[in-house]
Amino acid sequence: MKKSIFLAFFLGMFFVPTSFWAQTEPEDIAIDSDAFQDHFYEALKQKGIENYDKAIESLEKCIEIQPTNATLFFELGKNYYNQKKYKEAYDNFEKATQIDPKSRWSWVGMYDVCYDTRDYNQAIIIVQKLIEFKEEYKDDLTSLYMNTQQYDKALTLINELNDKFGKSEQRDIYKSQILQDAKYQGPEKNNLLEQIKKNPKEESNYIELISIYSKSNQEEKALEIAKQLEKEIPTSDWAQVSLFKFHLNNNDGDKAVVSMNKVFASDKIDKKIKHRILNEFLIFTQKNPNYSNELSKAISYFENDKEVKVSKEIGKFYVNKKDWPNAVKYFEVHLKSVSDDVETGLLLMQCYVEKADFATLISKSEDWIQLFPTQPQFYYYQGLGYNQNKEYKKAKDILEMGMDYLVDDIATEINFNIQLGEAYHGLGDEKKKEIYFTKANELLKKKR
């Protein structure tokens, strides 16, 4: 993005130095000087009221008097630029630089024309000239390299400017964009390793390198750099990443918890690393259930994570382990913040079945039916609960109601028929029991 300061020459009146009025023939001074002044100030006046055509006419009369005056061509360029006549503007700015190569604002004018017309390749040539006047134009060159997709040159220049002037928000954004492409990560890793070697107390280089390794799934490399950071800057939040791993490997849960909580509280550390640490602590807790409370506290750090619903994922982890009480615990935590998550609701119903907690199954399934009255699975779970509690009439009624909402779901239809068969068996109607069991068997054959 161009710096606004470089557009300043388009604002206000242009200062004319005393030497501007010098003439070569003394006998003509009065005539030429008066005529020149009249035309020049008329040009400035007309430009000031945005009458650019008349300003141009007056400037052309000035050029007839002083045809090698760079300032006149610069002023012509400005007037054409204000009219968006970019070719004429560029030609006059260029003429000014040919007369006076040190006329920096004329080079700026050419740059502005190139930028406005999106001729970024020509703009690069102009900015490289401007850098001879002011090194700050290197930031503009970085933007132009990005616009022309010359990412290798942009990355080299970004690192040069960061090293010399310190980092900037815009350069960080550009660098992040470039490093999304894996082919630029290798050179950047080498650059960061060199920076760490030169200045081992600069935390940002470690963090950037850890982030690159993490995003490219090189977790071991990320941990290696974190250990190096821990050694050089023990107070760093990032150092706690390696300390956590170290304490966990030593089965020192208390110290691991301290490091883990520091990592989770830090806004500097990538979420992927935080999720990996949580997963490792989850496995540790499975073997050391006395840390279950610490796990619950750790999960609270992720309550507002829109990408990964941590409580739900931990609930699924416990389902796979057939640890139904913990699965229920974390599904219920998740549903406190996302109360209408049907998938979690169904997983939770199945957990109540596995726990044989049929009273809760009946109660909770009723809540879900109120929320989603056309979702047949919740009717099924309530009917199953009533059957297990020997409330067969209630089971029959709710199951028949739920059957009305079944559409192209053979697996659920099989379950409904089995539970209806059980309900009629409990009610003593063996004929209807056989009808539903037979239908369930036919559907099973069809499913195969």
Side-chain angles (χ1 to χ4, degrees), residues 302-333:
F302 299 90
E303 285 178 353
N304 298 318
D305 190 334
K306 295 180 180 179
E307 294 177 21
V308 179
K309 302 302 181 185
V310 172
S311 297
K312 179 177 178 177
E313 293 307 312
I314 290 178
K316 288 181 177 180
F317 170 86
Y318 281 121
V319 165
N320 292 332
K321 298 289 183 182
K322 300 188 185 304
D323 184 342
W324 310 114
N326 273 317
V328 167
K329 173 182 174 181
Y330 288 105
F331 285 145
E332 288 180 343
V333 167

Side-chain angles (χ1 to χ4, degrees), residues 211-226:
S211 177
I212 291 174
Y213 281 135
S214 176
K215 287 175 182 176
S216 58
N217 297 316
Q218 293 178 278
E219 298 296 342
E220 292 304 317
K221 288 280 189 182
L223 282 171
E224 184 181 318
I225 298 303

Side-chain angles (χ1 to χ4, degrees), residues 149-403:
Q149 299 181 355
Q150 298 182 65
Y151 300 129
D152 51 345
K153 291 181 180 179
L155 185 58
T156 299
L157 190 54
I158 287 167
N159 288 332
E160 176 194 322
L161 293 171
N162 285 350
D163 193 37
K164 190 166 186 178
F165 300 109
K167 296 183 178 182
S168 76
E169 183 179 354
Q170 186 59 62
R171 290 198 294 272
D172 283 347
I173 291 170
Y174 286 153
K175 193 168 187 177
S176 177
Q177 291 172 357
I178 293 168
L179 294 179
Q180 287 177 10
D181 190 331
K183 75 177 181 180
Y184 297 108
Q185 292 175 3
E188 180 58 14
K189 289 171 190 173
N190 293 335
N191 169 64
L192 289 167
L193 287 168
E194 184 62 30
Q195 292 297 320
I196 288 169
K197 188 175 179 181
K198 282 169 55 179
N199 189 357
K201 300 300 180 183
E202 176 55 55
E203 184 188 43
S204 63
N205 292 321
Y206 295 93
I207 294 170
E208 198 170 333
L209 187 53
I210 290 169
S211 177
I212 291 174
Y213 281 135
S214 176
K215 287 175 182 176
S216 58
N217 297 316
Q218 293 178 278
E219 298 296 342
E220 292 304 317
K221 288 280 189 182
L223 282 171
E224 184 181 318
I225 298 303
K227 287 177 184 176
Q228 192 175 343
L229 172 59
E230 172 202 340
K231 181 180 177 182
E232 295 293 344
I233 312 174
T235 57
S236 167
D237 289 342
W238 280 91
Q240 299 301 321
V241 174
S242 60
L243 283 171
F244 167 79
K245 185 75 173 178
F246 175 79
H247 295 318
L248 217 58
N249 289 340
N250 285 346
N251 207 38
D252 191 338
D254 291 345
K255 289 183 179 179
V257 166
V258 171
S259 292
M260 177 180 68
N261 288 336
K262 287 180 180 178
V263 170
F264 290 164
S266 173
D267 56 4
K268 298 178 183 178
I269 297 174
D270 188 85
K271 281 196 291 187
K272 279 181 67 177
I273 291 178
K274 291 181 179 180
H275 287 147
R276 179 180 57 75
I277 284 176
L278 182 64
N279 286 337
E280 290 177 358
F281 191 68
L282 175 59
I283 294 167
F284 175 80
T285 304
Q286 185 77 6
K287 299 174 183 176
N288 301 272
N290 52 310
Y291 286 97
S292 295
N293 288 337
E294 282 74 13
L295 177 63
S296 297
K297 291 175 186 175
I299 291 168
S300 67
Y301 284 106
F302 299 90
E303 285 178 353
N304 298 318
D305 190 334
K306 295 180 180 179
E307 294 177 21
V308 179
K309 302 302 181 185
V310 172
S311 297
K312 179 177 178 177
E313 293 307 312
I314 290 178
K316 288 181 177 180
F317 170 86
Y318 281 121
V319 165
N320 292 332
K321 298 289 183 182
K322 300 188 185 304
D323 184 342
W324 310 114
N326 273 317
V328 167
K329 173 182 174 181
Y330 288 105
F331 285 145
E332 288 180 343
V333 167
H334 169 69
L335 289 168
K336 285 179 182 177
S337 58
V338 191
S339 60
D340 58 351
D341 185 342
V342 171
E343 181 192 20
T344 302
L346 293 173
L347 286 168
L348 187 57
M349 297 302 104
Q350 188 59 38
C351 289
Y352 292 139
V353 173
E354 300 292 346
K355 284 181 64 186
D357 186 354
F358 300 114
T360 304
L361 177 65
I362 293 168
S363 171
K364 295 293 185 182
S365 59
E366 177 61 30
D367 294 338
W368 283 98
I369 288 169
Q370 295 303 314
L371 274 174
F372 298 98
T374 61
Q375 187 68 255
Q377 289 94 332
F378 294 119
Y379 293 88
Y380 159 73
Y381 278 114
Q382 191 169 62
L384 185 155
Y386 280 133
N387 271 335
Q388 292 297 320
N389 275 7
K390 303 186 186 308
E391 298 179 74
Y392 301 116
K393 177 68 168 59
K394 289 182 179 179
K396 176 188 80 69
D397 291 344
I398 200 69
L399 288 164
E400 288 176 342
M401 190 184 301
M403 283 280 275

Side-chain angles (χ1 to χ4, degrees), residues 44-56:
L44 293 180
K45 183 182 81 172
Q46 294 298 332
K47 187 185 74 171
I49 60 174
E50 299 183 3
N51 195 343
Y52 302 120
D53 285 332
K54 287 194 176 295
I56 289 167

Side-chain angles (χ1 to χ4, degrees), residues 1-2 111-120 123 144 147:
M1 184 176 292
K2 293 173 61 185
Y111 173 31
D112 283 320
V113 170
C114 291
Y115 199 90
D116 285 6
T117 58
R118 299 180 183 273
D119 188 353
Y120 299 130
L144 291 168
N147 283 331

